[in-house]
Amino acid sequence: MASRTQSSEDYLETILILREHLGNVRSIDIVNETGYTKPSISVAMKKLRHNGLITMDRSGYIYLTPDGEKIATETYNKHCLLKKFFMSLGVSESTAEEDACKIEHEISRETIMCIIKSQNEREK
């Protein structure tokens, strides 16, 4: 699997989320969601294809490969966990969302596991 970067994780996560909302995803959907330019998205999708994280069909629909799906899901799950955790501490939803986006890429597995354990204990 290719090296993971923050931008590749963000794009894969965006594709995953858009797929849940739209069913099928094209580059223009990513442009509309992120606000990046068409050429920037085109370059990013080319890199993701080259790294084996997405495929595109002749109609321009984008699909996550198993490796891309794994990265997207892991990133999204960390994001949701962090956002929920921050909000449980009293952080506003908008700030929790922003902070989760920043931290989801750098946080260690150990810290994630401790947050999960803490959340599970709180829910008991």
Side-chain angles (χ1 to χ4, degrees):
M1 188 181 335
S3 65
R4 291 166 69 150
T5 64
Q6 179 174 338
S7 64
S8 67
E9 288 179 355
D10 283 339
Y11 284 121
L12 294 169
E13 183 182 18
T14 298
I15 293 166
L16 179 75
I17 293 166
L18 287 171
R19 183 182 71 195
E20 293 302 312
H21 294 306
L22 304 175
N24 294 309
V25 180
R26 290 184 173 181
S27 292
I28 192 63
D29 300 316
I30 300 167
V31 168
N32 292 334
E33 180 68 20
T34 63
Y36 297 141
T37 65
K38 288 180 186 179
S40 294
I41 298 300
S42 179
V43 168
M45 294 305 106
K46 183 176 180 180
K47 287 179 184 177
L48 292 175
R49 274 196 321 272
H50 176 76
N51 289 327
L53 300 173
I54 65 165
T55 60
M56 292 179 85
D57 68 15
R58 291 181 183 198
S59 298
Y61 290 109
I62 299 167
Y63 303 95
L64 296 168
T65 65
D67 286 342
E69 183 84 28
K70 181 179 181 209
I71 293 169
T73 301
E74 286 174 0
T75 304
Y76 182 69
N77 288 342
K78 283 191 282 185
H79 177 95
C80 292
L81 175 70
L82 289 167
K83 180 180 174 183
K84 180 180 176 184
F85 177 67
F86 296 149
M87 289 175 64
S88 77
L89 299 174
V91 176
S92 70
E93 185 173 358
S94 62
T95 300
E97 176 74 26
E98 289 175 28
D99 289 347
C101 282
K102 295 172 191 170
I103 295 170
E104 68 192 16
H105 305 288
E106 301 297 329
I107 195 165
S108 70
R109 178 159 175 75
E110 177 185 0
T111 302
I112 285 291
M113 296 311 293
C114 287
I115 292 171
I116 291 170
K117 183 178 176 185
S118 170
Q119 292 293 86
N120 289 340
E121 288 173 3
R122 283 183 181 202
E123 292 173 1
K124 286 183 182 178

